[in-house]
Amino acid sequence: MPIDEAYKNLAISKLEEFGELAQQKIKNSVSELDPEDLEFGLSLSLQDQELFKLWQDCIENNNYMEVSFVEVMEHHDGAYLKATFKNSKGPYTAERYVSVRSSGRVEIAHAFLLETKGIVVRMEKEPDGSFKVFVRYK
């Protein structure tokens, strides 16, 4: 059964909402950096309550994502399934990584990616409520 277009558009608009705010916040942090530091990439920590609240709604609880990668792997502790789900619009991409182990353990992680003006940004939420941001030239 095909997905309702209105539901899909709502999910994409949430991604855009988060992306626009994140781009603005990251732009401020990156403008203070030495361009030579971005050659090999640089990790930053970003703390922002507004982004944190939007992350929950727009990235983690965004129910519409397309399957972009699925793999079944054998590991020393049994087989497991790895799947990546993706939402993207323009320079913004949200990814959800799901691993299901043969023991039944499920691990879920999220990332937000932004490509703008020759710079690639990868953003992940840390357990302490901050964001780990990796920035490098494309």
Side-chain angles (χ1 to χ4, degrees):
M1 189 161 122
I3 189 96
D4 182 16
E5 283 298 313
Y7 188 72
K8 180 180 176 179
N9 292 336
L10 176 65
I12 297 295
S13 69
K14 285 183 178 183
L15 172 65
E16 287 181 304
E17 177 185 0
F18 181 83
E20 289 168 1
L21 181 63
Q23 185 173 5
Q24 189 178 61
K25 303 283 182 172
I26 292 168
K27 188 178 185 180
N28 294 339
S29 298
V30 171
S31 67
E32 301 169 4
L33 298 175
D34 182 5
E36 288 183 15
D37 291 339
L38 298 179
E39 286 293 322
F40 298 105
L42 189 63
S43 288
L44 308 168
S45 181
L46 178 66
Q47 292 190 354
D48 190 284
Q49 284 296 80
E50 191 177 8
L51 271 179
F52 188 78
K53 290 176 186 172
L54 273 180
W55 178 275
Q56 188 73 32
D57 185 43
C58 300
I59 305 295
E60 289 183 2
N61 295 339
N62 200 338
N63 291 325
Y64 174 79
M65 288 190 166
E66 296 177 354
V67 176
S68 68
F69 176 78
V70 176
E71 181 179 22
V72 177
M73 299 180 64
E74 279 292 326
H75 206 262
H76 68 278
D77 61 348
Y80 70 97
L81 171 77
K82 287 175 58 174
T84 302
F85 300 87
K86 189 181 284 191
N87 246 356
S88 62
K89 173 90 185 242
Y92 313 125
T93 302
E95 293 185 340
R96 177 178 295 137
Y97 310 103
V98 179
S99 293
V100 181
R101 299 187 181 274
S102 59
S103 65
R105 181 174 164 196
V106 177
E107 297 169 350
I108 301 174
H110 297 85
F112 172 75
L113 301 128
L114 167 67
E115 290 189 33
T116 179
K117 297 181 184 175
I119 295 176
V120 177
V121 177
R122 179 184 174 84
M123 184 179 204
E124 297 174 356
K125 186 174 86 170
E126 294 289 341
D128 67 356
S130 65
F131 292 99
K132 182 171 110 180
V133 180
F134 183 75
V135 185
R136 72 172 170 81
Y137 281 125
K138 190 158 80 168

